[in-house]
Amino acid sequence: MESNQSWVTEFILVGFHLSAKMEKLLFWIFSLFYIFSLLANGMILGLICLDLRLHTPMYFFLSHLAIIDMSYASNNVPKMMANLANKNRTISFVPCILQTFLYLGFAATECLILMVMSYDRFVAICHPLQYTVIMNWRACRVLATTSWACGFILALAHAVLLLRLPFCGPWEVNHLFCEILSVLKLACVDTWINQVVLLAASIFVLVGPLCLMLVSYIHILCAVLKIQSKEGRRKAFSICSSHLCVVGLFFGIAMLVYMVPDSNQREEEEKILSLFHSLFNPFLNPLIYSLRNAQVKGALYRALQKRSV
């Protein structure tokens, strides 16, 4: 066992065991969802950049979420579609490790950005008079940069630990893409270090942020219930419910995949959950934020009015 690169040059992505007709149908479904997720997230990003009324901390972080969702989907979905259209389901060693690195990096960053977004709502609702002081643009940039840096440092640690492993045949990754747990199963040696680091990282980017968000939203709920006007309560609940929907979808699936004990029976379920994470989550996020947010809908209406003039 000297060098893993001399042992493996490519992996085979197993994917789903489906008929050719079903794979063709899935290819078109995936294509539509992927194109729509890019367009919807791109639309939100464009509106935030162009509309001065959306130049606030909340929408600054939402723009980062849109960038992450587009990148997250683009890292995994095109390869899934290529595998559905082509019977040759191989992926070279280096692109596989790179895909794993980017997948983990974008996922961890999204967790941290969602936590920062909940902190922004906490300050806005619980400390409205101090909001502009606490959430100034310098603080927003620091929080966003720290989220990206922490997410990709964690991903780099996983990638480095993965590179040191020797891989033995058969080199079949029982997944839709190079997902880290599926790749680790192909190693010839004990991967306990990788598993421990993965568990520690999951606690850091999943359990920790989720606990902080729960504390934030308990305080937010108490503050909202004290608001006298019905309109004020409705507006606060509307903004927070959008964020809670996204948090519930993202964190719920991630914890099921990475924190529930693994078993052979769960492999097919994990594929479906990862598919939801990679394809449907980036598709749903802009829908949740645009359909439940009057300011985004207002910005879209103003942009369409300008275009028609």
Side-chain angles (χ1 to χ4, degrees), residues 7-304:
W7 286 29
V8 58
T9 57
E10 62 183 23
F11 293 112
I12 299 167
L13 297 171
V14 174
F16 290 121
H17 301 285
L18 301 168
S19 64
K21 189 177 288 186
M22 184 58 73
E23 286 184 348
K24 190 175 181 180
L25 176 64
L26 282 179
F27 172 82
W28 290 111
I29 292 171
F30 287 8
S31 300
L32 288 173
F33 273 96
Y34 177 55
I35 291 166
F36 187 85
S37 68
L38 291 183
L39 290 173
N41 281 291
M43 180 196 72
I44 285 185
L45 189 60
L47 289 174
I48 292 169
C49 291
L50 296 172
D51 197 311
L52 293 176
R53 298 184 198 187
L54 301 184
H55 288 189
T56 64
M58 175 183 167
Y59 294 102
F60 171 73
F61 295 123
L62 183 56
S63 68
H64 281 266
L65 187 66
I67 292 167
I68 292 166
D69 281 339
M70 286 190 290
S71 305
Y72 194 69
S74 297
N75 181 52
N76 300 330
V77 178
K79 185 60 182 173
M80 291 186 206
M81 290 162 56
N83 290 343
L84 289 169
N86 190 352
K87 292 298 179 184
N88 181 21
R89 298 184 174 184
T90 59
I91 182 169
S92 300
F93 179 79
V94 173
C96 182
I97 300 300
L98 181 62
Q99 189 181 56
T100 303
F101 166 71
L102 292 173
Y103 170 75
L104 293 170
F106 289 127
T109 304
E110 181 155 352
C111 290
L112 298 173
I113 287 289
L114 287 171
M115 179 184 70
V116 170
M117 289 175 75
S118 72
Y119 174 69
D120 172 68
R121 291 300 84 207
F122 164 74
V123 177
I125 294 170
C126 298
H127 305 283
L129 298 177
Q130 299 165 296
Y131 180 71
T132 54
V133 177
I134 297 171
M135 297 303 294
N136 59 70
W137 283 112
R138 184 176 179 276
C140 291
R141 284 191 287 268
V142 168
L143 287 168
T145 304
T146 303
S147 298
W148 281 91
C150 288
F152 277 87
I153 287 168
L154 284 172
L156 183 62
H158 291 307
V160 169
L161 288 172
L162 202 58
L163 284 168
R164 57 179 280 279
L165 296 174
F167 294 98
C168 308
W171 300 320
E172 293 183 348
V173 179
N174 190 16
H175 214 282
L176 304 167
F177 55 91
C178 287
E179 193 273 332
I180 190 166
L181 292 174
S182 299
V183 175
L184 284 175
K185 290 175 183 176
L186 306 182
C188 307
V189 295
D190 191 0
T191 59
W192 71 271
I193 295 176
N194 302 70
Q195 300 283 357
V196 168
V197 172
L198 190 60
L199 179 62
S202 298
I203 292 169
F204 177 73
V205 298
L206 290 174
V207 180
L210 190 58
C211 290
L212 290 172
M213 281 188 277
L214 286 173
V215 172
S216 294
Y217 273 99
I218 289 169
H219 283 90
I220 287 169
L221 181 62
C222 293
V224 169
L225 292 174
K226 290 177 185 176
I227 297 173
Q228 298 299 317
S229 70
K230 288 184 179 179
E231 181 61 26
R233 282 200 300 269
R234 188 199 63 78
K235 186 179 178 182
F237 274 125
S238 176
I239 292 170
C240 293
S241 61
S242 298
H243 185 251
L244 281 171
C245 287
V246 173
V247 167
L249 283 171
F250 191 86
F251 279 79
I253 295 169
M255 292 182 81
L256 280 173
V257 172
Y258 292 104
M259 302 207 73
V260 174
D262 196 23
S263 66
N264 291 331
Q265 287 76 25
R266 288 189 66 244
E267 285 183 345
E268 293 303 311
E269 293 173 24
E270 286 178 3
K271 288 180 192 178
I272 295 168
L273 290 171
S274 296
L275 177 64
F276 194 95
H277 239 201
S278 301
L279 186 63
F280 300 117
N281 214 45
F283 164 79
L284 288 172
N285 284 356
L287 283 181
I288 292 168
Y289 277 109
S290 60
L291 291 177
R292 298 182 63 87
N293 192 304
Q295 285 180 293
V296 172
K297 286 190 281 189
L300 178 60
Y301 178 71
R302 287 190 294 273
L304 292 173

